[in-house]
Amino acid sequence: MKPSILMSLLGLSLLALTACTSTPPKPVAMNDGELPLPADYKTWPKFLSEIQRPDAKQVREIYMNPVAKKGGTAAKGFPMGSVFVMENYAAAANPDGTLKRGADGKLVKDKLLSVFVQGKNEGWGDKAAPALANGNWIYSAYTPTGDKSTASTDSCRACHLPVASKDFVHRYDEYFATQKTSAWRADQVLATLKTTRPLTSHDVVALHSISQ
Ligand code: HEC
């Protein structure tokens, strides 16, 4: 083999080696107000749905990105790269000012008022006042049409700070409790069916009738 060919082969393999061993790029450093509203968040898994807040005259929907869904554990909290989106809806009111209730007793969703985003990653939130540090979490707020809202992000920090032991996520316990409940239901179905074979679509129907 000619030395020049040998050299270029060596160069190529070195290039390949560098490409394989290089660490992934660090996430862009971001602070409050800079986290964009993810365009596809409505396709994300639900964190919790139809949160009833008669005190605030609101109904809320919370979505979590697949990173948070996959990596979140009650023991360790949520991994870097997690993002939550919360839609705040006005609760519909009766003419006398009391809040409307549906046949299920729940508040009725009216207009979307605002959309809140909360995300964490390496190096995020380093410009926050130390007294308001929320780990690596940062906050953004949007109007119903997706424009940046003028809401103060310091108020987000102040109100999420008390749940620091729950990774700054207010309904942490409620969420992980619902995760356990569905695992328990799957066991129930297996016990009911007196089998350990993998679940089929028929079993899933049975699962739903048990859980109602
Ligand atoms: C008065 C306290 C308070 C303030 C202020 C506040 N939050 Fe929250 N936030 C909550 C509570 C409580 C929940 C759980 C849902 C519920 O009960 O309404 C929540 C939930 C969330 C969630 C869903 C994920 C999670 O952590 O549970 C996001 C996202 C969020 N807030 C973002 C924001 C942003 C952005 C701001 C500021 C613009 C903000 N919050 C201001 C209390 C607050």
Side-chain angles (χ1 to χ4, degrees):
M1 202 182 278
K2 277 188 191 162
S4 58
I5 298 181
L6 195 69
M7 283 307 284
S8 43
L9 274 179
L10 194 72
L12 268 181
S13 43
L14 267 179
L15 256 182
L17 199 70
T18 331
C20 292
T21 54
S22 63
T23 46
K26 270 201 158 183
V28 181
M30 281 207 267
N31 280 286
D32 288 350
E34 294 171 359
L35 192 59
L37 182 62
D40 60 344
Y41 79 82
K42 279 184 187 276
T43 66
W44 289 1
K46 275 277 173 69
F47 175 71
L48 291 169
S49 201
E50 296 190 317
I51 296 172
Q52 305 288 298
R53 292 292 308 266
D55 54 326
K57 298 190 172 142
Q58 287 186 12
V59 180
R60 297 173 171 176
E61 297 289 339
I62 304 179
Y63 297 84
M64 66 203 303
N65 71 349
V67 172
K69 176 77 192 178
K70 215 168 146 228
T73 66
K76 289 195 176 156
F78 296 97
M80 292 299 167
S82 294
V83 179
F84 288 92
V85 174
M86 179 164 74
E87 294 177 331
N88 302 313
Y89 290 90
N94 295 309
D96 67 359
T98 57
L99 296 179
K100 262 191 197 155
R101 300 267 173 187
D104 56 3
K106 288 185 170 175
L107 298 173
V108 179
K109 257 193 241 167
D110 199 349
K111 282 194 312 252
L112 180 63
L113 300 173
S114 57
V115 185
F116 289 175
V117 191
Q118 178 184 7
K120 80 194 275 194
N121 221 328
E122 295 295 347
W124 285 10
D126 60 355
K127 286 193 187 145
L132 289 178
N134 273 208
N136 289 90
W137 290 105
I138 57 171
Y139 298 86
S140 291
Y142 291 89
T143 67
T145 49
D147 294 318
K148 275 222 174 114
S149 122
T150 51
S152 147
T153 47
D154 278 355
S155 69
C156 323
R157 290 182 169 276
C159 202
H160 281 253
L161 194 56
V163 284
S165 67
K166 304 289 175 192
D167 201 10
F168 305 92
V169 173
H170 275 278
R171 293 186 182 247
Y172 189 97
D173 289 338
E174 191 178 328
Y175 168 69
F176 287 111
T178 60
Q179 299 303 295
K180 274 195 202 111
T181 311
S182 34
W184 178 82
R185 282 174 189 162
D187 285 356
Q188 282 270 299
V189 171
L190 288 173
T192 310
L193 299 170
K194 295 192 179 61
T195 176
T196 50
R197 64 176 165 73
L199 291 177
T200 66
S201 56
H202 294 289
D203 301 333
V204 174
V205 174
L207 180 85
H208 279 88
S209 53
I210 284 183
S211 64
Q212 267 156 21

